[in-house]
Amino acid sequence: MEMNIALLPGDGIGPEVIAQAVKVVKAVGQKFGHEISFKEGVVGAAAIDATGDPYPDATHEICAAADAVLFGAIGDPKYDNDPKAKVRPEQGLLRMRQKLGLFANVRPTFTFPSLVHKSPLKLERVEGVDFVFFRELTGGVYFGEPRGRNEQGTKAFDTNVYSKEEIVRLARMGFEAAQKRRKVLTCVDKANVMATSRLWRETVQELAAEYPDVKVEYEFVDAVAMRLIQWPKAYDVLITENLFGDILTDEASVISGSMGLMPSASLGSNVKLFEPIHGSYPQAAGKDIANPLATVLSAAMMFEYAFDMKEEAKAISDVVNLSLAEGVVTEDIAEGGKAYKTSEVGDWLAAKILG
């Protein structure tokens, strides 16, 4: 099969971890007989430095024409520490999601047997955890209008807006995923306070009749924030709006023991984008020490979600599990053992796939 993949290395450690994912993807292509081509675009702070725009038109054209997008990270301290900056890397991320129609962020949380002891939670709470968030990406308070400040600059306001259509398309993805998993779906909202949350709950209640095999639960976001720590094994598929999902998925990411291990996907009607959740980690940039496994597992998600190639995806996840079991890992999870370089881990994974 021919595959055209857009590469957006981005900022910080993005270029380094994307390079390792490319090694693994090429190895999978060679092993399974796929012809894979790559085309690179700039995004984030790197794009601002090069063009003045965090998501240039040329990059958008590369992404829109691709079968899938592999994305590294966005963010740079020189913008983080300047709250008055007119152009920011994160604006590129939001615009990319909006222009590509990436309305659903898929964030799995699971544990690795060889690393479960690194979780900040007790073993009996996290062993066997396996749930996935479906977060709506293009609506809510991040995109709602109006927004701004009053003339005196003493008050600021943002607007949270959702349409029923936006909720339906995200919720259907969640229901369909639940049907393939343990058949439990949790709608996360704040319906006791917020009008948008009441629309979410009403819409999901209407859709539930179409999925009689799925058990639907409704929980307030603050309760979910607690239960993710108290009883994370209670969850299977969770669906929620943009802001709530942004916060809860970061909370969930530490359950595995390392943010450097969790992949994600952003799905739309046409384009599908895959990225690690760990951010740009500028302190490690250029040092060849960043953990590439989340990006490599994002490539595994790409084969499964973009190309429906479960065998190829499993080949990647299997070698990642092998690298963890055999200690071929970067310094963040080496635990006193040998710490491999980012590039060495990528080389090892690719060689194992071909071997």
Side-chain angles (χ1 to χ4, degrees):
M1 179 177 176
E2 292 185 7
M3 305 176 194
N4 299 309
I5 298 172
L7 298 177
L8 304 183
D11 305 325
I13 62 171
E16 297 168 69
V17 293
I18 282 290
Q20 312 320 309
V22 168
K23 292 176 185 177
V24 171
V25 170
K26 285 182 176 179
V28 169
Q30 185 176 336
K31 180 180 178 68
F32 290 90
H34 302 305
E35 187 176 326
I36 303 174
S37 61
F38 302 91
K39 195 165 186 179
E40 189 169 318
V42 292
V43 69
I48 296 174
D49 292 343
T51 71
D53 185 340
Y55 184 59
D57 289 343
T59 297
H60 176 68
E61 290 171 7
I62 290 170
C63 294
D67 298 316
V69 181
L70 270 178
F71 169 52
I74 273 182
D76 190 292
K78 67 183 177 184
Y79 297 99
D80 296 341
N81 298 327
D82 182 8
K84 294 184 178 180
K86 299 293 185 185
V87 181
R88 309 180 66 82
E90 292 76 14
Q91 292 171 340
L93 180 60
L94 295 177
R95 183 142 42 96
M96 177 173 65
R97 288 171 178 168
Q98 199 166 39
K99 290 185 71 173
L100 292 174
L102 302 173
F103 63 84
N105 183 234
V106 186
R107 289 271 292 263
T109 295
F110 47 85
T111 55
F112 301 86
S114 58
L115 288 179
V116 70
H117 62 284
K118 287 182 67 66
S119 174
L121 304 185
K122 294 178 180 178
L123 178 63
E124 61 267 24
R125 292 189 178 181
V126 299
E127 198 169 31
V129 162
D130 180 11
F131 61 81
V132 58
F133 270 95
F134 282 74
R135 164 194 168 194
E136 202 288 323
L137 269 187
T138 57
V141 73
Y142 291 169
F143 295 97
E145 297 289 349
R147 66 178 62 223
R149 294 192 179 191
N150 64 359
E151 291 182 3
Q152 296 77 26
T154 55
K155 289 185 179 180
F157 52 92
D158 297 283
T159 305
N160 194 29
V161 180
Y162 267 107
S163 69
K164 192 165 186 173
E165 180 185 5
E166 289 173 318
I167 300 166
V168 166
R169 65 184 183 180
L170 186 282
R172 285 198 185 280
M173 278 193 174
F175 274 110
E176 290 167 7
Q179 286 181 316
K180 298 173 184 176
R181 292 170 53 92
R182 301 196 305 276
K183 295 181 170 56
V184 180
L185 181 137
T186 304
C187 176
V188 184
D189 59 40
K190 193 64 176 169
N192 58 334
V193 175
M194 299 174 64
T196 48
S197 280
R198 285 191 283 276
L199 180 60
W200 268 82
R201 187 170 290 209
E202 290 167 10
T203 303
V204 173
Q205 287 172 338
E206 292 171 6
L207 280 176
E210 299 180 29
Y211 302 90
D213 56 330
V214 175
K215 179 184 178 183
V216 184
E217 300 173 339
Y218 301 89
E219 292 190 28
F220 296 143
V221 60
D222 42 345
V224 174
M226 290 188 293
R227 289 187 70 206
L228 281 175
I229 302 303
Q230 295 172 322
W231 193 24
K233 286 188 277 192
Y235 294 116
D236 181 21
V237 175
L238 303 95
I239 59 172
T240 192
E241 60 112 79
N242 206 344
L243 176 61
F244 296 163
D246 194 1
I247 296 167
L248 291 175
T249 53
D250 276 3
E251 179 191 9
S253 70
V254 302
I255 290 173
S256 70
S258 172
M259 284 187 72
L261 295 172
M262 290 292 103
S264 76
S266 295
L267 310 180
S269 301
N270 299 310
V271 180
K272 296 176 173 64
L273 179 145
F274 303 87
E275 62 178 305
I277 70 165
H278 50 57
S280 62
Y281 192 18
Q283 300 89 337
K287 298 180 181 179
D288 204 19
I289 60 172
N291 188 342
L293 296 184
T295 312
V296 171
L297 288 170
S298 296
M301 288 187 76
M302 178 187 73
F303 279 105
E304 180 172 356
Y305 282 86
F307 303 110
D308 195 27
M309 295 180 176
K310 292 181 172 54
E311 190 176 356
E312 287 85 340
K314 186 177 185 299
I316 296 175
S317 59
D318 283 350
V319 296
V320 167
N321 279 314
L322 187 62
S323 75
L324 292 169
E326 296 192 7
V328 183
V329 296
T330 45
E331 64 179 33
D332 58 310
I333 52 175
E335 296 187 301
K338 178 181 177 180
Y340 287 75
K341 298 295 186 183
T342 307
S343 54
E344 291 175 332
V345 173
D347 290 340
W348 189 92
L349 294 169
K352 284 293 179 182
I353 286 171
L354 291 172

